Amino acid sequence: MVTTQAESVLGGSPYRADCPTRHILDRIGDRWTVLIVGALWDGSVRFSEVRRRVEGISQKMLTQTLRGLERDGLVHRTVHPEVPVRVEYTLTEAGRTLREPLRALEQWAIANLGNVSASQDAYDRGPTSS
Amino acid sequence: MVTTQAESVLGGSPYRADCPTRHILDRIGDRWTVLIVGALWDGSVRFSEVRRRVEGISQKMLTQTLRGLERDGLVHRTVHPEVPVRVEYTLTEAGRTLREPLRALEQWAIANLGNVSASQDAYDRGPTSS
DNA sequence: CGGGATCCAAGCAGATACTG
DNA sequence: CAGTATCTGCTTGGATCCCG
């Protein structure tokens, strides 16, 4: 235990593997988290509805990711003990604050899609005999 | 080819798998990209130096990720044909703009580490008999 | 020194079947 | 409907060897 504290992985010093920030990046880094947060953007959504929205996700990954988000306190889970069970998921306060940096990232992505595509294109074209 | 254009994966509509934004998220999502961008934060850095900074990364992953970033036009590669070959990596203009949203994300991570840890802790403690 | 190629292990993720 | 459990395939990534 080195009790490493919230250091910057980017700013210039410790890119250490044990930096706690890494864990967060790992989470949002997985294939589905961001999409699920997106699906919960506008309020309370049922399990099957999330599944429909994220489209392509398996039931296993959906459950797994949702539980991870719940564990991290980013998503709240509500079970309605009705005849056919109904479960609703909602972003918690913390989860909602995550939307901002995520949106920033998405804005960057949208703004740079052209650049990136063009660059890839040129790169793949080979040693561009200038 | 559906020529899907820069749609929002978050804002409320298409969480489609073919959304080009996904590709960007996939890239920054991998375990090393963010760390490498961090390592290149302050200018031109040699291969071995990057490797030392990112610490824990294998030579394979480093090369692979760097090439990916180069292909995306986020990192520039310069080869100095000296006796022992010397290669330097630098963030391109596009690469530098990526630092902002990344920093925002990191800020969020740092700000929420406490929340998240506490939540995980509570979650793991079991069905909290309130 | 930088990095390509290969081999192999571990983890991630999908399909399926079964429960409350 | 909303999950859990299992089995399996595929991808990811590390270790190693070799080349410029």
Side-chain angles (χ1 to χ4, degrees), chain A residues 3-10 14 16-28 68-69 71-74 94-95 97-98 101, chain B residues 103-122:
Chain A
T3 48
T4 321
Q5 274 289 18
E7 310 172 56
S8 171
V9 235
L10 301 174
R16 322 307 295 345
D18 58 328
C19 176
T21 307
R22 272 285 278 280
H23 171 261
I24 307 284
L25 291 175
D26 281 358
R27 170 150 300 295
I28 73 100
L69 286 168
R71 194 176 98 103
D72 286 353
L74 301 178
T97 67
L98 177 57
Chain B
R103 174 169 293 187
L105 204 60
E106 189 191 40
Q107 288 307 311
W108 183 91
I110 292 176
N112 286 272
L113 274 175
N115 285 336
V116 172
S117 290
S119 181
Q120 291 177 350
D121 210 45

Side-chain angles (χ1 to χ4, degrees), chain A residues 21-41:
Chain A
T21 307
R22 272 285 278 280
H23 171 261
I24 307 284
L25 291 175
D26 281 358
R27 170 150 300 295
I28 73 100
D30 80 52
R31 187 167 176 165
W32 303 111
T33 298
V34 174
L35 284 307
I36 292 181
V37 170
L40 298 178
W41 205 264

Side-chain angles (χ1 to χ4, degrees), chain A residues 87-107:
Chain A
V87 180
E88 297 209 313
Y89 292 90
T90 319
L91 289 178
T92 61
E93 182 51 34
R96 283 192 289 276
T97 67
L98 177 57
R99 294 185 301 184
E100 303 311 324
L102 245 37
R103 175 168 293 188
L105 205 59
E106 189 190 39
Q107 287 309 309

Side-chain angles (χ1 to χ4, degrees), chain B residues 17 21 26 28 36-37 46 54 58 85-86 90 99 105 112 127:
Chain B
T21 307
D26 281 358
I28 72 101
I36 291 180
V37 170
R46 305 185 55 163
V54 177
S58 68
V85 187
R86 184 164 59 100
T90 320
R99 293 185 301 182
L105 204 60
N112 286 272

Side-chain angles (χ1 to χ4, degrees), chain A residues 36 40 47 50 61-72 75 77 89, chain B residues 123:
Chain A
I36 292 181
L40 298 178
F47 182 84
V50 178
M61 281 300 101
L62 179 53
T63 301
Q64 189 172 302
T65 310
L66 280 171
R67 294 189 81 223
L69 286 168
E70 188 192 359
R71 194 176 98 103
D72 286 353
V75 160
R77 192 179 107 114
Y89 292 90
Chain B
Y123 188 94

Side-chain angles (χ1 to χ4, degrees), chain B residues 43-82:
Chain B
S44 212
V45 185
R46 305 185 55 163
F47 182 83
S48 32
E49 174 61 19
V50 178
R51 189 174 185 180
R52 220 168 299 120
R53 291 189 181 182
V54 177
E55 184 176 355
I57 193 173
S58 68
Q59 168 269 352
K60 177 185 176 182
M61 280 301 99
L62 179 53
T63 302
Q64 189 171 301
T65 310
L66 280 171
R67 294 191 79 225
L69 287 168
E70 189 193 358
R71 194 176 98 103
D72 286 353
L74 302 177
V75 160
H76 182 65
R77 192 179 108 113
T78 316
V79 182
H80 301 272
E82 304 172 350

